[in-house]
Amino acid sequence: MKTLTLSIACLVTWCCASAHAADLRMQFLFDGPAPTPEPLKVDKDKAVCGQLNLLNERLLVDQETKGIRNVVVYLYTGRGGTQLPASQPSKQTRKLRARECRFEPRVVLARRGDKLVFDVSEAKVGHNINVNFFHNMPSGLSLPSGSNRDFALRQAEPAPLPIDCNIHPWMRAWLVVLDHPYAAVSDAQGRIEIKGLPENQELTFRVFHEDARHLTNITIDGNVQQWDRNRFQVTLAEGINDLGQVKLSPENFAGIQTAGSTGQ
């Protein structure tokens, strides 16, 4: 696994940065013409869902900046990853809404000990919400419109998990359950920031995007990088560490060839 070397001479250190902690920044960009989301095939509850002009959200690229939305970066603590001291459960509430025949948000970040709420209170039709957990209780909830249901996330999960609606097959979200707080999801411009990381220690991060399971063509500051199993290693200094622009070529994304064909 290749270790990334950061040049920190030009980094800006904020006055509000945590003492003896490091913050990681990076921006994911699509290295090619920005694709346009295609219309979804809506074949259920057409009277409601068919009127919403739903688009395929598997790969969302900002037309101006080419930023890639919904890239997940998290500190990897599995086999061969970063070792962290045991942490206390988070005990926060995370919410996934079903509204206008789609899930919001596309990616839910959670921690061990959190409560996950499935909220269908704004939906005009009922939904079946299905999550195939590895370490938590299996979930296959049928929720009528106007309702919600919650359950406990007692354990971390080894990988991001798809959340599907069996009634409306185009609906999908992703759930990431970790045993630490070091994770972020890229915004509309492809930017992420993870705060409060350990400094002066080699850290292993994993990158996940639902439409790019195997990242191979990666360019950082003009240099081609090879990430083993979508992971990279880096040692951070105290303050702000900006990895810069991470460009992903179109060949990384299955949706470039199949957008609109799977309905998700």
Side-chain angles (χ1 to χ4, degrees):
M1 194 180 299
K2 190 169 182 177
T3 300
L4 300 179
T5 302
L6 294 180
S7 175
I8 62 173
C10 62
L11 298 180
V12 178
T13 302
W14 289 356
C15 62
C16 57
S18 300
H20 306 297
D23 299 342
L24 174 66
R25 289 177 177 176
M26 54 202 306
Q27 182 183 26
F28 289 89
L29 300 178
F30 190 82
D31 196 11
T36 302
E38 296 186 1
L40 288 172
K41 179 182 178 181
V42 177
D43 54 4
K44 303 291 183 182
D45 288 322
K46 293 183 180 180
V48 175
C49 302
Q51 311 304 312
L52 297 173
N53 298 317
L54 296 171
L55 299 176
N56 191 317
E57 296 183 83
R58 283 176 54 181
L59 175 59
L60 298 177
V61 179
D62 182 73
Q63 296 294 311
E64 182 177 349
T65 65
K66 296 187 180 180
I68 305 171
R69 185 172 231 165
N70 295 326
V71 180
V72 182
V73 180
Y74 61 93
L75 192 65
Y76 177 73
T77 57
R79 181 179 298 179
T82 303
Q83 299 300 309
L84 293 175
S87 61
Q88 294 297 317
S90 172
K91 297 183 180 180
Q92 296 188 46
T93 297
R94 315 290 179 174
K95 183 176 289 189
L96 179 69
R97 294 180 175 89
R99 59 186 303 269
E100 296 188 341
C101 301
R102 53 187 293 276
F103 286 129
E104 293 180 358
R106 186 74 174 186
V107 179
V108 178
L109 294 182
R111 290 176 59 188
R112 174 177 61 91
D114 284 350
K115 178 173 67 175
L116 179 62
V117 176
F118 291 122
D119 186 351
V120 191
S121 61
E122 298 180 57
K124 296 181 180 179
V125 294
H127 296 281
N128 173 271
I129 299 173
N130 187 18
V131 190
N132 291 317
F133 287 106
F134 288 96
H135 298 320
N136 290 283
M137 292 293 292
S139 169
L141 303 174
S142 293
L143 300 179
S145 60
S147 66
N148 61 63
R149 186 80 59 84
D150 62 75
F151 64 96
L153 299 173
R154 302 185 185 280
Q155 300 293 333
E157 294 288 343
L161 304 174
I163 303 174
D164 293 308
C165 175
N166 299 117
I167 299 173
H168 309 100
W170 64 84
M171 292 179 63
R172 169 163 287 187
W174 292 86
L175 174 64
V176 181
V177 187
L178 303 171
D179 54 8
H180 60 75
Y182 306 121
V185 181
S186 64
D187 64 13
Q189 285 73 49
R191 299 169 301 196
I192 72 106
E193 183 173 29
I194 304 175
K195 292 180 173 291
L197 290 156
E199 61 169 317
N200 300 323
Q201 172 187 345
E202 187 175 75
L203 306 175
T204 299
F205 292 90
R206 183 168 186 257
V207 179
F208 171 82
H209 186 277
E210 63 176 288
D211 203 48
R213 306 299 178 83
H214 304 287
L215 295 171
T216 55
N217 298 302
I218 305 156
T219 303
I220 303 177
D221 292 335
N223 299 314
V224 177
Q225 300 282 347
Q226 297 297 324
W227 289 353
D228 181 20
R229 291 170 290 180
N230 289 15
R231 303 173 195 167
F232 66 88
Q233 292 177 319
V234 63
T235 300
L236 304 177
E238 181 181 345
I240 306 298
N241 296 257
D242 195 336
L243 191 59
Q245 295 181 340
V246 180
K247 295 183 178 181
L248 305 181
S249 70
E251 290 77 14
N252 283 296
F253 298 93
I256 296 301
Q257 291 78 35
T258 62
S261 62
T262 66
Q264 295 181 334

